[in-house]
Amino acid sequence: MAETDAGPSDDALMGGRVRLRQPRDGYRAGMDAALLAAACDAREGERVLEVGCGAGAVLLMAAARRPGAHFLGVERDPAALALAIANIALNGLEDRVDATAGDVEAGFAASGLEGGFGAALANPPFFDDAGALRGPAPAKRGAWIADGGLAAWADFLTLAVRDGGSVTLIHRADRLADLLAALSPRAGSFQVRGVHPFADAPASRVLVRAIRAGRAPLKLLPPLVLHPRDGAKHTAEAAAILRGEAGLEWL
């Protein structure tokens, strides 16, 4: 089902468990959003924050996977925030999912949020130097360019969670060292899972989980491979994640 060409598309995620209205142009939820939602490890009764929630794809898929948790999304773009709020209602999740305005660049102290979240999620923009790539379309700039860099995102996320709370991110594999360095002033006990397009190709993404005030040694987990070489669209593991039939577990 879809709206007119001028309006948002109406898409089914996780095998139809989640409906998402999202822009036809600009940033659209894809595999990264599905993987981040699958990596959410919130326990029963916990408060979960997603920073940069966009139209609400990760927020809603994570809420569908974790029915006992309560979710709050933060988004700086008014149009995306309006879609997120509408999508929450579309999925009938107003009792435990909400979204509000907020800007990572302003810092957590300026957000007006109450800290102590049990978990926080984010898919930060992949670039923080607009001169390093050909400029994205204006509708995609906010999703592609992190004006304050990874440090601003790491600060916001680690200040939002309580000691012992988890921070889970997906990002470019080549920024892993920068990501760990940005998180390390307040967080540790890192777990890292590489996401590989093919089994014989380098990782293109990493999923990173950190614990605020954690002190355990870093763990490198078995990789996730997205596509086989035999012509199938996805590996069995990736397809099960997309359908919502499997998650990504942490140790």
Side-chain angles (χ1 to χ4, degrees):
M1 174 181 174
E3 303 293 330
T4 66
D5 289 343
S9 62
D10 192 342
D11 302 311
L13 308 179
M14 290 177 58
R17 289 170 61 189
V18 171
R19 286 178 62 192
L20 185 78
R21 300 187 73 201
Q22 57 181 334
R24 295 176 186 276
D25 300 317
Y27 178 79
R28 290 175 58 82
M31 179 63 78
D32 291 348
L35 296 182
L36 183 58
C40 177
D41 62 346
R43 295 189 291 269
E44 184 85 14
E46 279 193 327
R47 296 165 57 232
V48 183
L49 179 70
E50 189 203 350
V51 182
C53 69
V58 174
L59 200 64
L60 294 166
M61 288 191 287
R65 289 175 172 276
R66 300 286 174 172
H70 295 260
F71 291 79
L72 175 65
V74 172
E75 175 56 49
R76 71 177 182 178
D77 179 70
L81 177 60
L83 274 176
I85 292 170
N87 282 324
I88 292 167
L90 182 66
N91 287 274
L93 291 172
E94 303 98 319
D95 60 332
R96 61 186 186 88
V97 183
D98 200 0
T100 189
D103 188 349
V104 168
E105 314 300 333
F108 186 76
S111 70
L113 297 175
E114 180 183 350
F117 285 89
L121 310 170
N123 179 9
F126 281 172
F127 302 94
D128 49 24
D129 179 3
L133 74 163
R134 187 173 67 180
K140 295 184 179 181
R141 190 189 188 285
W144 281 49
I145 305 293
D147 295 321
L150 278 177
W153 286 77
D155 285 348
F156 198 102
L157 291 160
T158 55
L159 286 169
V161 297
R162 56 171 171 76
D163 283 354
S166 66
V167 172
T168 305
L169 306 97
I170 188 165
H171 209 272
R172 289 162 39 200
D174 64 336
R175 295 298 303 275
L176 175 59
D178 297 326
L179 187 57
L180 297 181
L183 291 166
S184 62
R186 297 188 188 90
S189 302
F190 296 110
Q191 296 188 39
V192 178
R193 188 186 302 275
V195 180
H196 298 247
F198 299 96
D200 57 356
S204 57
R205 302 283 187 268
V206 284
L207 282 155
V208 175
R209 179 178 180 266
I211 303 298
R212 176 162 166 162
R215 296 291 183 265
L218 182 148
K219 295 183 174 70
L220 294 177
L221 304 186
L224 171 67
V225 178
L226 299 180
H227 309 291
R229 290 290 190 187
D230 63 6
K233 188 173 184 180
H234 296 108
T235 62
E237 184 179 10
I241 290 169
L242 288 171
R243 292 191 301 266
E245 297 169 357
L248 287 165
E249 302 301 324
W250 303 100
L251 299 181

